[in-house]
Amino acid sequence: MLLQLVARLLWPARCAACNAFVPESTAFCENCALLVSELEQVCHGCGLPTSETDDGRSGSGRCHGCRAKPLPFSRVWPVLAYGGATTEAVLHLKHGRRRHLARPLGALLAPAVGAALDSGVNTLCPVPLHPRRLRQRGFNQALELLRVAERLSRRTATRPLLVPDGLRRIRDTPALGWESPASRRRIVAGAFSVKRPEWTKGRRILLVDDVMTTGATLAECTRVLLKAGAAEVQVVALARVV
Ligand SMILES: [Zn+2]
Ligand SMILES: [Zn+2]
């Protein structure tokens, strides 16, 4: 307790985007918070903003695109729109050696993880980094976010199974940048494998990542998990490119 107090005095919390001082366990300062947009009404299939007219009378919660050609996961829970202060925060977490930002940012992810757990998910798994990248960075940001969100969204005595290294990235893929959706799919094909398939059998899995761009990486991970026997895969991402 005292140590925590001393740490707080020595290293007060700072805004994840602009580094201004903020109250403890707050991700963004007041100015940056204005540049953060939460995704509320989104398509359940792809996580993109959707309108009631788009959902039409189907009541499926899915956009036209997803009804015609669904992605392999059964539900997407995006939290923030990628851009502005959110992008800054994610980059600071990943590339700025600011691992501690996983705490306030993971807290933002907690309601989505809680909602997925309420919907029947019983297993949590992060999108993995390639071992070489993991060595460079020292941590997997998706796992860091997931650990915080899981702790904060805990509601019942039965805790979900957290499988930190359930998936392996067996091929280091280049940064996907502005590749087209089709070439993204090609680049990530065959890049993942399940370490020990026993853990996936019949499990309802929540796959967690920091950023969802087109969903190619998450879709590839989902296909691998379903092939390994998972009953269902849902997806949660801190930021969704919209
Ligand atoms: Zn700020
Ligand atoms: Zn959709």
Side-chain angles (χ1 to χ4, degrees), residues 146-221:
L146 174 56
R147 285 195 197 282
V148 174
E150 189 275 328
R151 190 161 35 79
L152 296 177
S153 63
R154 214 173 278 164
R155 293 159 198 213
T156 53
T158 40
R159 288 176 62 180
L161 177 71
L162 173 61
V163 196
D165 55 357
L167 275 170
R168 280 188 307 180
R169 201 182 276 251
I170 48 179
R171 197 155 50 70
D172 199 4
T173 50
L176 293 177
W178 298 108
E179 302 282 344
S180 73
S183 78
R184 283 170 170 271
R185 268 199 302 279
R186 265 198 309 280
I187 289 170
V188 296
F192 299 92
S193 77
V194 172
K195 205 169 179 182
R196 288 178 299 273
E198 311 87 69
W199 76 268
T200 53
K201 297 271 182 295
R203 307 292 304 194
R204 298 181 68 186
I205 300 169
L206 182 65
L207 198 52
V208 181
D209 210 354
D210 53 340
V211 179
M212 176 177 184
T213 307
T214 61
T217 300
L218 287 158
E220 180 64 15
C221 290

Side-chain angles (χ1 to χ4, degrees), residues 131-150:
R132 195 161 54 84
R133 217 166 279 223
L134 183 62
R135 273 197 302 278
Q136 282 167 356
R137 191 171 298 165
F139 62 95
N140 175 357
Q141 71 282 356
L143 176 60
E144 300 292 310
L145 292 168
L146 174 56
R147 285 195 197 282
V148 174
E150 189 275 328

Side-chain angles (χ1 to χ4, degrees), residues 81-118:
Y82 196 68
T86 300
T87 303
E88 293 295 316
V90 169
L91 294 179
H92 288 154
L93 168 67
K94 273 208 296 214
H95 305 297
R97 297 175 182 270
R98 292 178 67 187
R99 184 177 186 163
H100 61 278
L101 288 179
R103 268 173 70 186
L105 296 174
L108 296 177
L109 199 67
V113 170
L117 290 171
D118 286 345

